[in-house]
Amino acid sequence: MNQEIGKKLLSILKVEQVKKDEPMKIHTTFRVGGPASYFVTPETEEEVAKVIEVCTQENVPYYIVGNGSNLLVSDAGYRGVIVQICKEMNEVKVEGDLVKAQAGALLSGIAAKALGAELS
């Protein structure tokens, strides 16, 4: 794996948002999966876009995940960048009869907001 990718990811994200050789088994509900070369947790749409841009420029594969449910990762791991968006990008809001949810929102949270607003 290109070592330059780690430096570029750290130029976009904080140190605590970039993990190298992160075991995927701690990020999946099935608790299986080897290490991802890099595991990143961007906090904003802009950070997600920059991470994807860097991966594309460096020709490094990336995969975007949410909460890790229904996700199986090989014990061999993932040679690339895993981008997890569920922890920080999970806002849900109701505007009239419209529910707006960020990509990392859990379905249960979306349903609860809709129920609370008496939407069906």
Side-chain angles (χ1 to χ4, degrees):
M1 169 81 25
N2 178 348
Q3 294 300 321
E4 192 65 25
I5 189 77
K7 292 177 187 174
K8 289 189 176 187
L9 291 170
L10 287 170
S11 74
I12 299 166
L13 305 170
K14 295 175 240 163
V15 172
E16 60 270 16
Q17 291 174 273
V18 179
K19 296 178 180 172
K20 186 172 178 7
D21 297 322
E22 179 74 356
M24 288 303 296
K25 68 182 178 182
I26 63 175
H27 300 286
T28 65
T29 55
F30 292 111
R31 298 296 180 227
V32 297
S37 299
Y38 289 94
F39 183 89
V40 299
T41 53
E43 296 177 348
T44 65
E45 293 174 41
E46 293 78 18
E47 288 179 350
V48 172
K50 288 178 183 177
V51 166
I52 291 170
E53 182 180 346
V54 163
C55 290
T56 302
Q57 288 172 350
E58 295 294 317
N59 201 30
V60 171
Y62 66 90
Y63 194 79
I64 299 173
V65 301
N67 197 42
S69 55
N70 300 321
L71 178 66
L72 292 173
V73 180
S74 166
D75 286 339
Y78 182 75
R79 300 290 56 125
V81 177
I82 297 288
V83 182
Q84 185 184 52
I85 58 173
C86 73
K87 301 277 192 270
E88 300 297 333
M89 299 180 62
N90 59 9
E91 183 181 0
V92 180
K93 56 186 170 184
V94 177
E95 296 176 358
D97 63 351
L98 183 66
V99 177
K100 291 188 175 183
Q102 289 185 310
L106 295 176
L107 185 55
S108 59
I110 297 169
K113 281 277 192 182
L115 178 64
E118 299 180 350
L119 300 175
S120 58

